[in-house]
DNA sequence: ACCTGAACACCGTTCAAGT
DNA sequence: ACCTGAACACCGTTCAAGT
C-alpha cells in the first residue's frame, strides 16, 4: 500500500490510490476513516523501517548508526520528512521505536533529562539535514553543479552583489569532489562528541565544584 | 499580502487570497505567474525578517542570536519551515542573508569549508528543531501536558509495553516546569562549543602532529 | 491595461443506492 | 459486508470576453 506512492511522488490522492488497487473509486472509506488515517499508517511504516540500536553496542556507534539509518530512510521517503512528527496519534512502530531508543540511552548511563537532550538534538539535526538534502536539486551523482550554475548565470552580478556566496560556490560547492551529503558526517561527529562531553560532566565532574558549566547540561536538572 | 495568511493557517488558496484583497477571483494572474510565484515571494519575506549578524559581535554570540532569531521567525510562520529550502529561485533577501552570514563567518576566521560546515549544522539543527516544535500540540503555556496525557490514557498498557517512554513522560515531560522549547538552548550551546573546538583545531593545532582527529574537521579539506 | 465569468481537470468526503 | 455513481464544496489555471 505504501510502496506504490513512496515510489511515486507526493501526488497521492484517494482516487489515484484506489485506481492503483484495482478498486474503482471511493470505497476506500470502508477500510479507513479518512486520508489522515492512511498517512498515520504510512508514517508508522516509515518508523518501522528505521534501524534500532542493539543492546551490545557502544552508545556513540549505536547513535551514529541510528542517525545514518534515519537519514537513509527519510531519503527514501522524502514526503515523510514534513509529516513525521506532526501525527497526533503515533502508531505501534513509532512508540516501540521511541521506547527502545530511550531505554538504550538509559542503559548507557544517560539520566532522563540527558536522554531527552540527546534525543532532541540528534533528531532535530537529522530531520533538519534530511529536509535540506531533500530540497536540493541534485543530479543522480549527488552534486549540485547544474542548479548552482544556473543560479549564478541567472544573476551575473552575483560575484559583485553577493561576493561571499559567489566565493563559496566557486571555491567549494562547484568543485568536482564536493557533495553536500558529506556535510552530514561532520555535524553528526560534532554532536556525538559534545554529548560525550556533557555526559562525562554530568556523571563525574572531575573537579568537585563547577556549579553550572556554560552551554551544556544547565536547565531542566529537576526531578 | 503575506500578513493576511501567515496570521491565518496554511489554508491559503488563490480564491481566498483574492477575496481578502477585495478583488473578486482569478485576476491575480495578471500580477503573478502562478501560486509558486507567490510562495517564492513569501519565503523571501520570511528571510528578510531574520536578524543578520552585525560586524562587531563575537561569532558565538552572533550565531546564537541568528539561531534564536530564525527559530522565532519560523515559529511565527510555521508554514514556511517545510518550504524554506525548497524554492529553486531564491529572492534578493534570501541571497543577501546567505551572503552576509558567510561573509561574517569568513571575517571571524572560518575557512570556506569550515563556514560550510558551520552553516550546515546550525541550519539543519535550527530548522529541524523548529519543525519538531511546530508539530507539538502545545497549549499557549508551552507545555505538552494535555496531549501527552491523552496519549497515555489512550493506551493504559503504555507503562507495561513502553516503560521507558512512560518513565520519561511521567518523570520529565509531565512535570510542571518542563517545556520542550527549553531543549533548544542545550543543543545550540553544544553545537557552538563544538564549532569553537573545530575552529581552534583547524587554525592552530597545538600539538604539531595529530593527522586526522576523529569526528570533526576531517573530510573536504580540499581547496 | 486591468478585471471577470465560465469552464477544465482535479481534490476529499458524504450518502443513498445497489449486490 | 462490501462496493458504487452522483453529488457537494472545494482546488489551480486557462481563455475568451468585457471595460
Amino acid at each position: 500500500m505504501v510502496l506504490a506512492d513512496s515510489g511515486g511522488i507526493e501526488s497521492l490522492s484517494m482516487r489515484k490510490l484506489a485506481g492503483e488497487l484495482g478498486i474503482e473509486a471511493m470505497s476506500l472509506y470502508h477500510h479507513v476513516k479518512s486520508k489522515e488515517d492512511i498517512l498515520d499508517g504510512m508514517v508508522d511504516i516509515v518508523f518501522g523501517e528505521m534501524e534500532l540500536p542493539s543492546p551490545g553496542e557502544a552508545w556513540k556507534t549505536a547513535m551514529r548508526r541510528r542517525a545514518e539509518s534515519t537519514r537513509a530512510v527519510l531519503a527514501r521517503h522524502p514526503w515523510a520528512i514534513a509529516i513525521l512528527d506532526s501525527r497526533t496519534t503515533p502508531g505501534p512502530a513509532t512508540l516501540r521505536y521511541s521506547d527502545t531508543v530511550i531505554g538504550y540511552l538509559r542503559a548507557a548511563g544517560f539520566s532522563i533529562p540527558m536522554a531527552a537532550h540527546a534525543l532532541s538534538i540528534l533528531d532535530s539535526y537529522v530531520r533538519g539535514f534530511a529536509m535540506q538534502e531533500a530540497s536540493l536539486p541534485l543530479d543522480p551523482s549527488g552534486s549540485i553543479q547544474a542548479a548552482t550554475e544556473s543560479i549564478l548565470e541567472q544573476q551575473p552580478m552575483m560575484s559583485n552583489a553577493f561576493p561571499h556566496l559567489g566565493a563559496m560556490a566557486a571555491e567549494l560547492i562547484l568543485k568536482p569532489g564536493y557533495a553536500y551529503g558529506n556535510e552530514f558526517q561532520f555535524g553528526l561527529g560534532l554532536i556525538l562528541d559534545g554529548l560525550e562531553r556533557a555526559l562525562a560532566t554530568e556523571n563525574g565532574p572531575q573537579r568537585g565544584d563547577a556549579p553550572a558549566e556554560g552551554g551544556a547540561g544547565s536547565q531542566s536538572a529537576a526531578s
Side-chain angles (χ1 to χ4, degrees), chain A:
Chain A
M1 207 165 187
V2 196
L3 315 175
D5 56 295
S6 22
I9 335 168
E10 191 47 339
S11 59
L12 158 74
S13 78
M14 298 299 270
R15 285 169 168 89
K16 282 183 196 157
L17 204 173
E20 200 88 1
L21 294 174
I23 237 171
E24 287 263 343
M26 40 288 281
S27 29
L28 290 167
Y29 286 88
H30 275 267
H31 306 99
V32 294
K33 217 185 61 185
S34 65
K35 193 178 183 181
E36 293 293 292
D37 251 41
I38 297 178
L39 293 179
D40 280 346
M42 287 166 59
V43 164
D44 205 49
I45 291 175
V46 168
F47 269 103
E49 289 181 13
M50 294 176 187
E51 260 182 62
L52 279 172
S54 34
E57 288 172 305
W59 73 262
K60 268 178 98 169
T61 60
M63 286 302 112
R64 186 185 298 277
R65 274 213 7 258
R66 182 173 85 87
E68 279 164 354
S69 162
T70 303
R71 179 190 171 211
V73 169
L74 292 182
R76 213 151 57 221
H77 308 298
W79 51 266
I81 302 173
I83 299 187
L84 257 199
D85 315 291
S86 63
R87 305 283 91 190
T88 48
T89 46
T94 307
L95 292 169
R96 175 166 175 273
Y97 181 83
S98 301
D99 191 70
T100 306
V101 175
I102 296 171
Y104 181 89
L105 288 174
R106 296 286 285 129
F110 285 68
S111 68
I112 287 187
M114 188 59 79
H117 287 156
L119 283 176
S120 174
I121 189 173
L122 280 169
D123 288 359
S124 292
Y125 174 66
V126 172
R127 283 159 170 61
F129 192 93
M131 224 171 91
Q132 300 203 245
E133 198 174 22
S135 68
L136 249 46
L138 309 156
D139 38 277
S141 74
S143 106
I144 355 177
Q145 288 209 10
T148 313
E149 271 168 359
S150 86
I151 289 177
L152 286 176
E153 283 158 17
Q154 243 176 42
Q155 323 210 188
M157 42 20 165
M158 260 293 271
S159 28
N160 300 324
F162 308 108
H164 306 108
L165 205 49
M168 181 174 279
E171 291 172 37
L172 183 69
I173 299 171
L174 294 178
K175 291 272 165 143
Y178 187 80
Y180 181 70
N182 292 339
E183 298 285 355
F184 187 66
Q185 308 304 328
F186 172 85
L188 184 54
L190 189 156
I191 289 172
L192 291 173
D193 287 352
L195 286 175
E196 188 171 43
R197 213 165 270 116
L199 194 63
T201 303
E202 188 189 54
N203 283 350
Q206 245 77 343
R207 13 179 178 69
D209 50 339
E213 249 209 26
S218 41
Q219 77 280 8
S220 80
S223 101

